[in-house]
Amino acid sequence: MADYDLTLSRDAIPALLDQPAALGKLVEVILNQVLEAQMRDHLGAERYERCQEREGYRNGYRDRQLSTRVGSLVLRVPQTRDGSFSTDIFERYRRSEQAFVVGLMEMVVNGVSTRKVTRITEGLCGTSFSKSTVSRLTKALNEPVAGFLNRRLDAAYPFIIVDALFTKVRTDKSVVSKALLIASGIRADGYREILGLSIGDSESFATWNEFFRGLKARGLHGVDVAVSDNHSGLREAIAKQFVGATWQRCQFHVMKNLLDHAPKKERENVTAAARLIFLATDRKEAERRYAEFMARFAETAPKSCVCLEGAFEDMFAILPLPEKYRRRLRTSNMQERLNEEIRRREKVIRIFPNDAAAIRMVGALLSEQNDEWLSRAYFDMTEYFEWKATTVAKPAAVKRDRRAA
């Protein structure tokens, strides 16, 4: 691929920087220069240059609008007389944005969109798109998303974090709530990966069990610790599919449960006292702070005390691990941040037109997040494997109940 020499005139810089959307205008200038360079490469000649190597002639420009994270850009796309020039710039912007726009378009052509969605779609795409256009675009996106979600998982993943969020999907003539199941893992080399995504009618044992079976069929192995909330179906499926693994109950979810059961006037105090327990550096200190919590709130927040009593053992399952691993594995916050990004897009769509649209948009977003995660290590795993090799008291394994057995 050719290298492009991009220039920006001295006079243009102050004008660009004075505008509120300065970054967008700067990108617009650069991309228009890239288009000119691509046209030169395509024709084999500069503008007005006569030479034997020339392979065609220019035929003016057409304006195209490109919606990006830095604003809406107007690009002047060069044309040739024979129509042979094409550019892939419009295909290069982030796949999750493509999936997001296509999801909106699907809603419009299927007649299930709100006025807000229709207005946004027309602003991004114009009004001249059809079902066949949407079909072509979805086909182009489905393949790479499916490739990511079905890839082999050949590495060992000592730590996995799983969570679900619910979204609305149109099914036939009704709208139903469906569970998006998402799993992430931390490999033996310390890098994070998003392992998989599935959509189900509920967050049941059967749904989670099938999801984990699919991950294992793709190669998932070596799981030592699984972090999740206390959903019974999820916990049961973890116990069945990852025999011998430690289950860590997410402390963030425990905190939410404590506050849900606390009187409003005590919530601030409950938060502070519970946080002290969560941050205990050893079992003895955790038990001391737990006893203080129970004595302090026995009368003013009794339901919170009952909640903490039931959660105490499970939320300290990783306490034997070296401290630097405990800090990040005591909650599913890594997964919660993914959920927040998904929610940001979902708030616009509100109701996915079908299961495929939900998988496409969320899968594209997860694929990009996975690429970012692989750019830097999350853990140095040396200390963990030294600890694992030398410790005698292994973390307590999840107890399988009768249904899981």
Side-chain angles (χ1 to χ4, degrees):
M1 185 171 112
D3 292 330
Y4 301 134
D5 295 322
L6 306 175
T7 60
L8 191 64
S9 70
R10 188 185 301 274
D11 295 337
I13 294 176
L16 287 173
L17 297 181
D18 283 343
Q19 300 183 53
L23 181 57
K25 297 303 294 183
L26 182 59
V27 173
E28 184 177 283
V29 169
I30 292 172
L31 289 182
N32 279 320
Q33 291 187 43
V34 171
L35 287 169
E36 286 295 329
Q38 289 181 340
M39 175 59 89
R40 287 196 301 271
D41 291 346
H42 176 73
L43 296 179
E46 296 282 350
R47 182 187 293 274
Y48 307 121
E49 180 183 0
R50 296 182 180 275
C51 63
Q52 292 182 347
E53 291 78 17
R54 175 180 283 275
E55 296 184 358
Y57 295 89
R58 290 174 176 262
N59 188 34
Y61 297 85
R62 63 187 173 94
D63 289 346
R64 286 281 304 275
Q65 183 171 310
L66 177 64
S67 296
T68 73
R69 292 173 186 263
V70 293
S72 181
L73 312 182
V74 178
L75 303 188
R76 303 191 70 223
V77 183
Q79 305 293 292
T80 57
R81 292 180 185 178
D82 60 3
S84 60
F85 176 70
S86 63
T87 177
D88 61 355
I89 281 180
F90 295 93
E91 304 301 326
R92 287 185 179 180
Y93 68 104
R94 294 169 66 94
R95 188 174 294 149
S96 65
E97 290 178 336
Q98 294 180 43
F100 174 61
V101 174
V102 171
L104 296 175
M105 293 169 71
E106 275 191 285
M107 294 179 71
V108 172
V109 299
N110 290 329
V112 298
S113 66
T114 63
R115 285 193 298 270
K116 180 180 179 182
V117 168
T118 302
R119 188 166 60 250
I120 293 172
T121 307
E122 290 177 354
L124 292 172
C125 318
T127 56
S128 59
F129 57 85
S130 63
K131 289 188 177 182
S132 61
T133 299
V134 174
S135 178
R136 176 177 57 81
L137 292 172
T138 57
K139 185 177 180 180
L141 282 168
N142 285 344
E143 185 174 339
V145 170
F148 167 70
L149 295 178
N150 295 315
R151 73 194 189 283
R152 287 289 302 173
L153 302 172
D154 292 324
Y157 295 85
F159 311 135
I160 64 170
I161 301 174
V162 293
D163 199 8
L165 69 159
F166 282 82
T167 191
K168 288 183 170 57
V169 179
R170 185 170 292 275
T171 303
D172 296 326
K173 295 183 179 181
S174 62
V175 175
V176 298
S177 181
K178 292 201 171 185
L180 290 169
L181 315 181
I182 305 172
S184 300
I186 301 171
R187 300 188 318 212
D189 62 4
Y191 284 82
R192 291 181 291 174
E193 280 192 59
I194 294 167
L195 304 178
L197 164 70
S198 182
I199 189 167
D201 293 333
S202 65
E203 195 182 354
S204 64
F205 163 74
T207 305
W208 277 112
N209 193 56
E210 187 62 26
F211 178 53
F212 292 144
R213 285 180 59 191
L215 294 180
K216 290 172 68 176
R218 289 166 47 208
L220 177 63
H221 67 281
V223 176
D224 294 334
V225 177
V227 184
S228 76
D229 65 18
N230 193 39
H231 189 282
S232 59
L234 171 54
R235 182 176 179 177
E236 185 181 353
I238 290 173
K240 180 172 183 177
Q241 294 299 329
F242 304 109
V243 177
T246 297
W247 175 65
Q248 166 67 26
R249 182 171 176 178
C250 171
Q251 292 181 3
F252 172 77
H253 286 91
V254 173
M255 178 70 86
K256 288 176 63 177
N257 293 338
L258 292 177
L259 296 181
D260 287 343
H261 289 91
K264 188 173 181 180
K265 64 180 181 180
E266 284 284 22
R267 286 177 184 171
E268 186 175 342
N269 294 328
V270 166
T271 299
R275 186 171 289 121
L276 289 176
I277 301 173
F278 296 154
L279 297 178
T281 57
D282 56 47
R283 176 80 184 196
K284 184 176 180 180
E285 183 65 17
E287 290 178 346
R288 185 184 67 80
R289 295 177 181 181
Y290 165 76
E292 290 176 352
F293 182 100
M294 300 297 280
R296 179 178 178 183
F297 298 107
E299 295 185 2
T300 58
K303 292 183 179 180
S304 294
C305 291
V306 173
C307 179
L308 182 62
E309 183 179 12
F312 183 78
E313 291 296 332
D314 295 328
M315 71 186 193
F316 283 108
I318 59 166
L319 203 55
L321 272 64
E323 183 180 0
K324 70 178 182 181
Y325 305 103
R326 297 200 305 263
R327 286 199 305 270
R328 286 178 167 175
L329 294 176
R330 66 187 184 87
T331 71
S332 59
N333 286 354
M334 184 177 84
Q335 205 76 358
E336 291 292 333
R337 284 190 284 272
L338 284 177
N339 292 351
E340 288 174 5
E341 186 63 19
I342 293 168
R343 288 294 190 205
R344 187 174 67 84
R345 301 300 184 89
E346 184 209 37
K347 284 180 181 177
V348 179
I349 291 183
R350 293 180 58 192
I351 302 171
F352 285 101
N354 48 54
D355 285 1
I359 291 292
R360 184 188 314 116
M361 194 201 80
V362 177
L365 189 65
L366 296 180
S367 174
E368 289 172 357
Q369 183 61 66
N370 191 70
D371 291 341
E372 292 184 19
W373 279 1
L374 291 174
S375 65
R376 61 188 182 280
Y378 191 64
F379 279 141
D380 177 350
M381 296 292 285
T382 305
E383 187 178 349
Y384 174 73
F385 286 111
E386 290 176 350
W387 168 84
K388 186 177 178 181
T390 58
T391 187
V392 176
K394 296 289 192 290
V398 176
K399 294 181 180 179
R400 298 170 62 188
D401 63 20
R402 293 179 180 177
R403 282 211 300 163

